[in-house]
């Protein structure tokens, strides 16, 4: 009878260990899901902020480019002869460089 009691106790202990392992597995699974969701949210937020920053930088660059073009157009309109001479000089330099090749 002592063998049955020891075997029964061992069986009960194994069942208790299995239940604890199952509980631990569920805890780890739910912890992983929570942290994965939090990580995904943080990644989405970071990507959104980066996209907003890139959009803002592109918009500023576009605005500056337009302003530069307007300034250049105003200078050319105000001083057409120097603008034509500068353009001709640049054309001659480029032609000389390409003609040597």
């Amino acid at each position: 009878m002592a063998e049955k009691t020891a075997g029964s106790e061992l069986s009960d202990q194994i069942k208790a260990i299995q239940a604890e392992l199952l509980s631990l597995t569920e805890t780890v699974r739910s912890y992983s899901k929570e942290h994965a969701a939090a990580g995904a949210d943080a990644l989405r937020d970071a990507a959104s902020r980066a996209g907003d920053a890139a959009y803002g930088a592109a918009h500023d660059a576009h605005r500056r480019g337009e302003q530069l073009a307007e300034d250049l157009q105003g200078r050319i309109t105000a001083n057409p002869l120097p603008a034509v001479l500068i353009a001709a000089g640049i054309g001659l330099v480029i032609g000389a460089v390409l003609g040597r090749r």
Side-chain angles (χ1 to χ4, degrees):
M1 288 255 182
E3 289 180 19
K4 287 186 181 181
T5 305
S8 176
E9 283 181 25
L10 184 59
S11 176
D12 290 342
Q13 288 177 354
I14 289 173
K15 287 179 184 178
I17 291 171
Q18 286 175 339
E20 287 179 27
L21 285 174
L22 182 62
S23 173
L24 181 60
T25 302
E26 289 299 320
T27 301
V28 169
R29 184 177 296 141
S30 90
Y31 180 80
S32 298
K33 283 182 183 179
E34 288 173 9
H35 281 74
D41 289 342
L43 183 61
R44 268 192 296 275
D45 290 344
S48 176
R49 285 192 305 271
D52 291 344
Y55 177 78
H59 181 68
D60 288 345
H62 183 261
R63 187 175 40 83
R64 288 180 189 156
E66 286 180 341
Q67 184 63 40
L68 182 63
E70 287 175 10
D71 291 346
L72 184 59
Q73 185 177 6
R75 287 184 184 186
I76 291 171
T77 303
N79 302 311
L81 183 60
V84 170
L85 293 175
I86 290 171
I90 292 172
L92 287 173
V93 169
I94 291 174
V97 169
L98 293 177
R100 289 184 185 174
R101 291 182 180 199

